[in-house]
Amino acid sequence: MTLNILPSPAYTHSAHAPLAAPVESPPLPLTRNKRGVASPNKTWPQHSVLNISLLNMTQEQKNLTKQNINKWAPHTNLYFKFIDTPNGDIRITANNDTSAAWSNVGTDARNTPPVEPTMSIGFANSPVAVGVKIQHEFGHALGLRHEHKHPDRTLELNKENIYKDYESRNKTRRQANHDIVHTFQREEVKTSGYDRNSIMHYRFSASTLKDGNPLVGNTQLSEGDKHFMQSLYPLNNSLLGKLLNTAMRVIIRA
């Protein structure tokens, strides 16, 4: 992911505005460790059907959005139903004038007035870059937080360069601390091992890290993302559970 900013100190969602164009890097090696950061009080009820409104999108944009959201589907016990009406649990709008994006975190979407979106995707980029953004933002919609703010983060940040970058864009140190520098307090989030390959991790340029080695970021869900999501929304792998799961997905797609 790109290094991003939030619009103001009072945050109810996770917002992203890239400093540079996303790099379409090859997939990184997968691991089998469960890794991630989530807000346990913002996850959806188990086995929920989430109605997802796709608003003011072309058919091509709808297809790209569905394709990338559905990359999460096999790793959760939730069911995703895409609708064209504006009354979804998650309401996604398209913005063709930017590559930036934002999303409410998990059930914070319930606190958003019904006439307002709970997520916005900027389509002013390549399909691969937009796809990465959709996967990232929908991770937020399921309750995930930014991986680079993990309490066990191992990155050594060049804080002064980060502050200078924010100041060059009329952003405050307080915003830089909130977005990048400060990690979550352990008691406020549910975590597993820190995952540099997570789709929820920002990209970091060489100048923002003390070792000068850039962190390019992933273009797909890491193995850690998948396993951590399964720990939040565990699948019922019994024969009956699998049959019910299959039946539910058939009904939703009908």
Side-chain angles (χ1 to χ4, degrees):
M1 299 303 297
T2 53
L3 183 59
N4 305 301
I5 61 171
L6 294 177
S8 69
Y11 306 103
T12 58
H13 57 252
S14 178
H16 310 282
L19 292 179
V23 175
E24 298 176 9
S25 58
L28 299 176
L30 300 181
T31 65
R32 296 198 60 81
N33 295 324
K34 296 180 180 179
R35 299 176 177 179
V37 185
S39 291
N41 61 330
K42 298 179 189 288
T43 54
W44 297 90
Q46 301 296 312
H47 306 285
S48 294
V49 176
L50 297 183
N51 291 306
I52 304 169
S53 299
L54 304 181
L55 307 173
N56 67 295
M57 293 186 186
T58 66
Q59 189 57 52
E60 183 179 9
Q61 289 172 338
K62 288 180 181 179
N63 292 341
L64 183 63
T65 302
K66 292 177 183 179
Q67 175 188 350
N68 283 281
I69 286 176
N70 278 329
K71 291 182 179 180
W72 285 109
H75 314 295
T76 172
N77 62 32
L78 304 175
Y79 304 99
F80 306 151
K81 183 176 182 179
F82 298 99
I83 59 178
D84 294 320
T85 53
N87 59 331
D89 303 293
I90 297 170
R91 301 178 294 280
I92 308 174
T93 58
N95 188 334
N96 297 317
D97 299 322
T98 182
S99 61
W102 60 263
S103 176
N104 288 125
V105 177
T107 53
D108 278 352
R110 291 172 168 171
N111 302 323
T112 302
V115 295
E116 297 179 6
T118 66
M119 183 189 301
S120 177
I121 299 296
F123 281 88
N125 215 323
S126 71
V128 171
V130 174
V132 172
K133 189 72 70 173
I134 292 167
Q135 292 173 56
H136 179 100
E137 298 305 337
F138 202 76
H140 286 311
L142 296 178
L144 298 186
R145 306 302 296 270
H146 284 134
E147 188 70 17
H148 69 275
K149 289 171 64 68
H150 194 295
D152 298 326
R153 179 181 71 198
T154 57
L155 297 178
E156 291 192 41
L157 303 182
N158 188 324
K159 297 178 184 178
E160 287 307 311
N161 281 352
I162 292 172
Y163 292 144
K164 287 177 184 178
D165 173 74
Y166 267 61
E167 290 166 1
S168 73
R169 292 179 286 115
N170 297 316
K171 304 296 180 180
T172 66
R173 288 196 173 205
R174 181 184 177 189
Q175 287 175 286
N177 286 334
H178 181 281
D179 301 352
I180 308 293
V181 176
H182 290 171
T183 58
F184 292 118
Q185 296 297 310
R186 195 171 300 280
E187 63 272 13
E188 68 179 312
V189 289
K190 179 177 181 178
T191 65
S192 52
Y194 170 59
D195 184 8
R196 289 168 62 105
N197 294 341
S198 173
I199 199 75
M200 305 307 296
H201 204 300
Y202 280 1
R203 172 188 301 168
F204 283 84
S205 65
S207 66
T208 60
L209 297 175
K210 286 186 176 180
D211 64 8
N213 295 318
L215 182 63
V216 175
N218 210 349
T219 60
Q220 63 178 15
L221 306 184
S222 72
E223 197 74 0
D225 290 329
K226 297 173 185 178
H227 284 286
F228 186 57
M229 185 60 67
Q230 289 168 8
S231 74
L232 297 176
Y233 301 102
L235 297 168
N236 182 345
N237 288 316
S238 68
L239 179 58
L240 179 59
K242 290 179 179 179
L243 289 173
L244 290 174
N245 180 64
T246 300
M248 279 293 296
R249 297 193 186 282
V250 170
I251 291 170
I252 288 171
R253 291 170 184 165

